[in-house]
Every structure is written in structure tokens, then in C-alpha cells.
Amino acid sequence: MENRNLPPEFLAATAEMIRILGHGQRLQILEYLDLHGESNVGDIVTALAAPQGAISQHLNKMRLAGVLECRRDRREVYYRIAEERAVTILNCLRKKFAELQNIKG
Amino acid sequence: MENRNLPPEFLAATAEMIRILGHGQRLQILEYLDLHGESNVGDIVTALAAPQGAISQHLNKMRLAGVLECRRDRREVYYRIAEERAVTILNCLRKKFAELQNIKG
DNA sequence: TCAATAAATCATGATATATTAATAATAACT
DNA sequence: AGTTATTATTAATATATCATGATTTATTGA
């Protein structure tokens, strides 16, 4: 049989990234960055209306998972999407949401 | 500003499904079902060489999350993919893996 | 140096998850 | 009824994650 299987190690490593995305606020952050482009922490905190410490931890997790990258500019730290697959997943959700909207009316 | 934001409730609900996929063995199950089509528990257990109880629990979680469906035929229970978005994500991983392969050689 | 701002880290308790092994339930066959 | 095969559930334990608020660090400007 043709071996089209993805290696378990690859799947395990990728699973970690996916698991990080499996969180409502983190998806909100991802969407925010996709819509607004590179943004600093304060703007994200304001947009999501969540505690600063929580957002900072989410950003750090996403960064460690390779989903985001960041740079400092003077006082602010700016985050941006580093993993295009995350946007693929986000677009997949958008498509689904649009479908649900059509069904509802 | 144009409101293209996905509602937080939608993102939270979807996050649950994504989080379920964020697990190596569960991704292996998903891949197996995508490659082989509807399969029974025993075949999956054999293919993944994992404890039966663990696989059964993974299957149940994925079913509750809407990723899989199942039916019983005599003694066996057959599982199949119920959520096409999961395949979209899987294909996204395959593409990435292929890219990594190309880079390596 | 001092104050102000921005972001990261820490401490905590509460939940949730993963893993394993053992047991139970279901179905078919004799 | 008893047996076997298949799948599901349970219990126990260890680990991980979550949310919150307080504190700390880093940077800048006065």
C-alpha cells in the first residue's frame, strides 16, 4: 500500500500548535491580527476587553507555538501572525460562519 | 469600520472542536479515517498500536465534538469523518509536511 | 533619578486533561 | 445459559491549563 501517512512525530508537533489555537480568546487575537495587521499589546487588550495579564500570556503561548512573532518598538511590543496555516484555519472558520449565516437568513 | 469580526461565541464554540484536534493520536485517527474511509475501532487500534481504551475515548471525544460520526454493524462500531473542516485542516498539514520534505531533499 | 507607561511574570486555586489498567456492557455464536 | 469478541466506561493518578489579580520588569521622558 502506498505510504501516504504523515509521521506521528510530525502530527504530534503540529497538534501542539493546533491545541494552542483551540481557545476562544486566542482565536479572537488571531482574528484581530489578521484584520488589523501587526498590533501592539495594548490595542489587543482594548479590543478584546480582557485583563492585560491574560492577553500577555496568550500572546506568549502563541509565540512559543510559532503562531505569532513580535518585535519591540520603543515602549510597545508589536505582534504579528507568523504561521500562515493559522490563517488558513481562520478562513475555514469564516467560511463556516458565513454558511451558518446563510442558513439562518 | 466594517464589521468583519466573527462573534466571540462562535469562536469559543469552534475553539472546542479545534482543541479536540490538537492531539497527536487524534490527528492520527483523523488521518486514518481520511485515508481508509469508514473504519471500525479494532482496525484503528491495530493501525495506531495504542491501547483500545484510549482509542475508544479519543473516538468518543471526537464524536461529541462533531468531528466524527459512528454506526454499529453487528459487533463492530464504524466511525467516519463528519466534519469536513477537519479534513481541510488535515490537508493543510499535508501541504506543510510536503513543503518541509522538499526543503530537506 | 523619578514618574509614567507598557508589557511580562508570578502566585493561587480551580478545572480540565491525559494516561493506564481494570471492569462493564453489548452482540453474536454454540 | 455460557463463551468469546468487540467496544465502552470507570477509577485513579498525574499533569496541565485556566482565570485572576498582584507584582515586577523594561522603556521612555521629564
Side-chain angles (χ1 to χ4, degrees):
Chain A
M1 189 193 79
E2 184 190 4
N3 179 19
R4 291 190 292 158
N5 291 45
L6 293 170
E9 315 83 51
F10 173 77
L11 289 178
T14 313
E16 201 181 316
M17 196 201 78
I18 293 177
R19 186 170 46 80
I20 292 298
L21 292 180
H23 185 288
Q25 281 186 320
R26 291 198 284 263
L27 285 179
Q28 283 186 266
I29 291 173
L30 182 68
E31 193 204 15
Y32 184 88
L33 291 176
D34 185 54
L35 289 179
H36 297 83
E38 194 186 51
S39 309
N40 66 41
V41 178
D43 286 345
I44 298 170
V45 168
T46 302
L48 270 63
Q52 178 268 326
I55 296 297
S56 187
Q57 291 188 65
H58 288 317
L59 289 170
N60 189 45
K61 278 191 182 180
M62 295 170 83
R63 188 179 59 80
L64 291 177
V67 177
L68 305 182
E69 289 173 341
C70 69
R71 71 179 172 88
R72 177 180 282 275
D73 180 14
R74 304 176 65 86
R75 284 194 211 176
E76 286 96 14
V77 176
Y78 287 83
Y79 282 84
R80 62 185 174 279
I81 296 172
E83 174 59 78
E84 274 310 303
R85 283 181 292 176
V87 178
T88 301
I89 290 173
L90 182 60
N91 286 330
C92 182
L93 306 190
R94 285 170 171 146
K95 195 175 158 191
K96 181 69 173 187
F97 181 69
E99 286 173 19
L100 291 176
Q101 290 293 92
N102 285 340
I103 291 170
K104 281 187 197 166
Chain B
M1 190 194 78
E2 183 189 5
N3 178 19
R4 293 190 291 158
N5 290 45
L6 293 170
E9 314 84 49
F10 173 78
L11 289 177
T14 313
E16 200 181 318
M17 196 201 78
I18 292 177
R19 186 168 41 80
I20 292 296
L21 291 180
H23 186 288
Q25 282 186 320
R26 292 198 284 264
L27 286 179
Q28 283 186 266
I29 291 173
L30 181 69
E31 194 204 14
Y32 184 87
L33 291 176
D34 186 55
L35 289 178
H36 297 82
E38 193 187 51
S39 309
N40 66 40
V41 179
D43 287 344
I44 299 170
V45 168
T46 302
L48 269 63
Q52 177 270 324
I55 296 298
S56 187
Q57 290 185 67
H58 287 316
L59 289 170
N60 188 47
K61 278 191 182 178
M62 293 170 84
R63 187 178 58 79
L64 292 176
V67 177
L68 306 182
E69 289 173 343
C70 69
R71 69 178 174 90
R72 179 181 280 276
D73 180 13
R74 304 174 65 87
R75 285 195 211 173
E76 286 95 16
V77 177
Y78 287 83
Y79 283 84
R80 63 184 173 280
I81 297 173
E83 175 58 79
E84 274 311 302
R85 281 181 293 176
V87 178
T88 301
I89 290 173
L90 182 60
N91 285 330
C92 181
L93 306 190
R94 285 170 171 147
K95 194 174 158 192
K96 182 68 174 187
F97 182 69
E99 286 173 18
L100 291 175
Q101 290 294 91
N102 286 339
I103 291 169
K104 284 186 193 166

